[in-house]
Amino acid sequence: MKKKLIKLSSVIFIVGALLIILVGFLLAFIPARMTKIHTDKIVKLYLNDMSYDIEDFHDKCYDMIQEDELITEDGHSIPIFYLLKENTYDNKTIVLVHWHESNHKAMYPIAEFFLEQDFNVVLYDARAHGDNTAKTVTFGYYEKEDLGTVIDYVNSKMTEDNIIGALGQSMGGATVGYYSGSNHGSENLDFAIIDSGYTSMYDEIGWQIDSFFIPMPTELLTKLGNLSNNQVYGYTYKNVSIVDAMKKSSIPTLIIHSEIDKKCPYYMGKELYEAIPHDNKRLVTFNNSKHLCAFWDEQAKYEEAIISFIDEYVN
């Protein structure tokens, strides 16, 4: 009887250990893989939930859109959708960076707002999303390089100096924050807006594990996921530290975050804000909006926060 119990305990231990290792691998593999079909589906569901009409946007903005494709140094393509407010590239311009599992169409509502403010708007599909041909998502690590490529493209279209800003949501916000702390960002970006961003990939993965409906060994799984990510993709969760990058930021920055955000908790927004080493910054807090919903739930406050920030720190 004792031998059977020992044998059973050993089997349970081995199975449990294998499951934990498997979950650690999946934590690295699943979030990094996207398909065009999946991102199209998610965006359609999201905008339908918000009662937003994509076709109406196309009807209103069709004549403004200039499509292009950029080829990066590592060979993947970035589809570009350039909306020209007054049929000229020589205008103040905002680059919008979408969230994980979506594509450029998720940013249509915010694009409309900036067009109303007489900005040109640049949309693009981030790595492995939509029609971007990169194979994997890196949660800001290589996405910041793609953003830099897009910013270079915007500069190349202008014949005179103009304001260039970037706004990103969630992973897009992390990308904007990461880029804003780089030398290239400091030299080429006039302002940054980070909506619902996270502090680091390590923190975000840990938070998501803590949020599972059953208790999980968060620290162990995060370490296994970190190890798997390093083996499969060549970088670690801790390499993707937006908060460390923002300690080097020199540009005006607006942080937008909700206190009840369950995907990227509010403390992350506060830490990003506090990491910025200068005073040309602002943190705007929403109290009753879920992740990525502040624009919809309190649109007037959201838009006024952006307008007043740009008026004070940029114009």
Side-chain angles (χ1 to χ4, degrees):
M1 185 68 178
K2 181 180 283 189
K3 288 183 178 180
K4 287 184 177 180
L5 286 174
I6 293 173
K7 186 176 181 180
L8 179 61
S9 297
S10 299
V11 169
I12 292 173
F13 175 80
I14 292 171
V15 170
L18 290 174
L19 284 174
I20 289 173
I21 292 171
L22 176 62
V23 171
F25 173 77
L26 292 177
L27 281 170
F29 185 80
I30 292 177
R33 299 289 178 167
M34 287 293 122
T35 66
K36 176 176 171 54
I37 292 174
H38 178 73
T39 61
D40 283 343
K41 178 182 177 181
I42 293 297
V43 170
K44 184 177 180 180
L45 289 171
Y46 171 73
L47 293 179
N48 282 345
D49 284 346
M50 302 304 173
S51 300
Y52 184 82
D53 190 340
I54 292 180
E55 294 307 317
D56 182 61
F57 176 86
H58 287 156
D59 291 343
K60 289 186 294 187
C61 300
Y62 178 79
D63 292 337
M64 299 182 189
I65 301 175
Q66 304 291 322
E67 294 189 26
D68 209 340
E69 180 184 29
L70 306 181
I71 304 300
T72 66
E73 290 185 2
D74 65 3
H76 72 274
S77 67
I78 307 173
I80 298 288
F81 306 87
Y82 212 128
L83 281 70
L84 302 179
K85 175 65 177 180
E86 300 294 341
N87 199 33
T88 177
Y89 291 102
D90 287 316
N91 189 22
K92 56 186 179 180
T93 301
I94 185 76
V95 179
L96 302 181
V97 191
H98 65 79
W99 34 277
H100 184 235
E101 291 191 79
S102 68
N103 57 45
H104 73 278
K105 295 177 183 177
M107 306 304 287
Y108 281 175
I110 296 177
E112 284 199 67
F113 161 69
F114 275 100
L115 289 170
E116 291 169 359
Q117 306 307 311
D118 295 322
F119 274 78
N120 285 350
V121 177
V122 177
L123 307 168
Y124 71 97
D125 290 337
R127 291 177 58 91
H129 290 75
D131 289 315
N132 188 307
T133 60
K135 299 301 183 184
T136 59
V137 183
T138 64
F139 299 89
Y141 190 65
Y142 291 121
E143 280 80 3
K144 69 181 182 297
E145 308 299 333
D146 278 8
L147 178 54
T149 299
V150 173
I151 297 294
D152 282 341
Y153 173 77
V154 171
N155 271 318
S156 75
K157 289 293 186 179
M158 295 177 173
T159 61
E160 56 189 50
D161 287 339
N162 276 286
I163 291 169
I164 300 176
L167 180 153
Q169 292 188 305
S170 195
M171 187 184 79
T175 299
V176 170
Y178 215 151
Y179 173 72
S180 70
S182 68
N183 290 335
H184 193 277
S186 296
E187 293 168 0
N188 292 280
L189 206 58
D190 293 294
F191 68 92
I193 301 174
I194 300 169
D195 178 355
S196 310
Y198 48 80
T199 49
S200 71
M201 190 175 174
Y202 195 90
D203 290 345
E204 180 62 17
I205 294 293
W207 173 264
Q208 294 299 329
I209 296 171
D210 280 339
S211 301
F212 285 173
F213 64 93
I214 57 174
M216 301 288 281
T218 300
E219 186 174 354
L220 174 59
L221 287 176
T222 305
K223 287 181 178 179
L224 287 171
N226 186 61
L227 178 63
S228 297
N229 205 78
N230 193 30
Q231 293 296 317
V232 177
Y233 303 121
Y235 69 95
T236 69
Y237 291 168
K238 289 188 176 180
N239 287 146
V240 190
S241 177
I242 293 81
V243 73
D244 284 346
M246 294 192 69
K247 292 175 183 178
K248 305 171 186 176
S249 173
S250 61
I251 65 173
T253 303
L254 171 63
I255 307 290
I256 295 172
H257 222 103
S258 174
E259 287 186 324
I260 63 169
D261 192 326
K262 300 299 184 184
K263 297 292 185 182
C264 300
Y266 182 65
Y267 84 83
M268 292 187 178
K270 289 185 67 176
E271 286 190 7
L272 292 175
Y273 173 79
E274 291 166 358
I276 300 169
H278 56 76
D279 294 327
N280 296 328
K281 61 182 180 178
R282 185 179 293 178
L283 171 63
V284 175
T285 299
F286 289 80
N287 307 113
N288 302 300
S289 297
K290 295 180 181 179
H291 188 61
L292 298 175
C293 290
F295 176 82
W296 304 99
D297 295 339
E298 298 181 71
Q299 189 168 348
K301 178 180 177 180
Y302 191 101
E303 293 178 350
E304 174 56 29
I306 291 174
I307 292 169
S308 63
F309 166 75
I310 291 174
D311 284 345
E312 180 174 354
Y313 294 112
V314 183
N315 289 337

